[in-house]
Amino acid sequence: MTADLADFTRPHPERPPSPVPVDWASVEEWLGVGLPSDYKRLADRFGPVDFGEFVWIHVPCRQEGGTRFDYGQWLRETHRETRIDLRDLPEEQRFAVHPDPGGLLAWGCSRGADTLFWDTSVSPDPDAWTVVVRHQGPVPGSGLREWHAYDLTLSQYLQHTVRDGWELPSPPGPLMGPLPGSVARTAFLPAAGPWAPPEPVPPRLTGQERRMALETGGGLDALRLLSPPPERPYLGGGTWEGLFAELDTRLPDEYVRLMDVYGAGCWSEWLRFLTPLRTGERRFVTHVEETLDAYRMLKGSHPQWYPFAAWPEPGGFLPFANSVDGDHLGWLTDGDDPDAWPLVVWPRHADQGPPLEGGLIDTLLAWQRGTLATHGLAGLDEDDDPVEFAGFESWSDAAYW
């Protein structure tokens, strides 16, 4: 029996929920499956919900601005991460993931970074779908397992989190709570509005262009296809000669060629190339010095993990790019010929590896293709389409970096 949300929920006094119009027919057509009626009633009545001050129930909506949210994008990203995470389980214990038939379909997440799904394999009737949770943090009763399936629908699962204590009968496995039965407008979605499924997008590349970008092409020609450069690359207001004079060294010609085509910006929403010719306070040398100050400090405490000298010491590490996760890409300034300097990654979440074997453009192309095998640079998953994930966003003169 499906629980009635009205029996165990109450509006939050300070952030009362408010609905967002949903075209369920178009949403379900885009998903390729129907959705449980209790979820649709919840969405129609409350909109995006912060349930029990712990669980965010995401409904079809979108919000622009500082905290951007798009229901379709959230589902795609959550399902991609889920497919990757499930590979840590033995094959016989893995779930399928939407849009695969019978796959897990996400509906929420928690403040503890848990992710909540429906198991669509249990029945062709969405109202019979039961809950599967991936628990990230310590949950009473979880043991060493992270994935738990429950014989409870969404409403039944939410109702069971609203209880007086752990002594009440409960199905096997850990449960969140006890939680208050409050429903509030999600704080980071105060201006959420209607969401519409994205229009189909034709392929960006022809078959021949795709083969060239991913397989047969090389150098800047292939890179241009995979990640089109901006019409007007932004380098800053200075000159290469001025930068080389400030550094007391020129930089590799390959780097200059690449920057003259692309300028400063962010590759694949992850790898940020510093603005090389910016003048004033936040110029290239400023970022280099700040990065190397941190490197020297860490090296002083843990020299075994930070084996390189720091520029301008002979052979020292000279960074020119960083990631959104705090990794750094640079050269080892070994020798008088900058064109012979090897590339090296200073990874934030891995041990220091050896210098990379290829040059900058070939390394960047291999990384965009998903074929670069090195720790420290975020890689593509085996199911990812490199053309979908490749790209370059040019910065303007207002960019911090």
Side-chain angles (χ1 to χ4, degrees), residues 31 33 79 83 95-105 120-121 383:
L31 287 170
V33 293
H79 291 163
R83 283 192 293 271
F95 298 91
V97 181
H98 185 81
D100 291 344
L104 298 180
L105 178 58
T120 69
S121 70
D383 292 331

Side-chain angles (χ1 to χ4, degrees), residues 56-293:
W56 291 302
I57 301 175
H58 291 312
V59 305
C61 68
R62 67 191 299 269
Q63 177 174 276
E64 298 292 346
T67 304
R68 186 182 182 279
F69 177 83
D70 180 279
Y71 172 74
Q73 182 177 348
W74 175 74
L75 278 182
R76 287 192 296 271
E77 292 174 353
T78 300
H79 291 163
R80 175 182 182 267
E81 293 169 2
T82 300
R83 283 192 293 271
I84 295 171
D85 291 342
L86 282 166
R87 294 200 184 99
D88 292 335
L89 295 180
E91 188 169 354
E92 66 275 8
Q93 297 179 22
R94 298 175 191 171
F95 298 91
V97 181
H98 185 81
D100 291 344
L104 298 180
L105 178 58
W107 56 264
C109 54
S110 80
R111 281 173 167 77
D114 312 292
T115 311
L116 301 99
F117 307 86
W118 290 292
D119 183 353
T120 69
S121 70
V122 299
S123 172
D125 178 8
D127 288 339
W129 291 350
T130 51
V131 170
V132 172
V133 182
R134 189 199 179 186
H135 293 289
Q136 291 279 19
V139 179
S142 66
L144 297 177
R145 294 180 57 208
E146 295 177 337
W147 293 89
H148 293 272
Y150 300 92
D151 189 23
L152 297 170
T153 65
L154 179 146
S155 292
Q156 291 169 341
Y157 184 86
L158 295 178
Q159 184 181 37
H160 204 81
T161 68
V162 182
R163 59 195 190 279
D164 295 331
W166 291 105
E167 294 78 15
L168 295 178
S170 65
L175 283 170
M176 301 177 189
L179 303 178
S182 62
V183 284
R185 166 54 73 94
T186 303
F188 56 83
L189 296 177
W195 177 82
E199 294 292 333
V201 178
R204 179 166 64 85
L205 301 177
T206 66
Q208 181 179 359
E209 289 172 336
R210 183 182 176 90
R211 286 190 295 274
M212 182 176 292
L214 297 179
E215 300 171 12
T216 62
L220 271 175
D221 289 340
L223 194 60
R224 284 174 179 268
L225 282 174
L226 196 53
S227 300
E231 292 184 8
R232 298 181 61 185
Y234 177 70
L235 297 171
T239 64
W240 287 112
E241 292 74 15
L243 175 63
F244 297 165
E246 186 172 21
L247 294 171
D248 196 28
T249 180
R250 69 178 181 89
L251 298 178
D253 289 342
E254 188 177 31
Y255 169 74
V256 175
R257 290 199 309 272
L258 179 72
M259 298 305 291
D260 282 342
V261 172
Y262 284 93
C266 191
W267 295 82
S268 298
E269 300 182 355
W270 191 79
L271 185 60
R272 305 177 295 199
F273 273 56
L274 305 178
T275 307
L277 307 183
R278 183 193 296 279
T279 57
E281 182 180 357
R282 304 302 305 175
R283 61 195 190 280
F284 184 89
V285 173
T286 305
H287 291 292
V288 169
E289 291 174 344
E290 289 178 350
T291 300
L292 295 180
D293 284 345

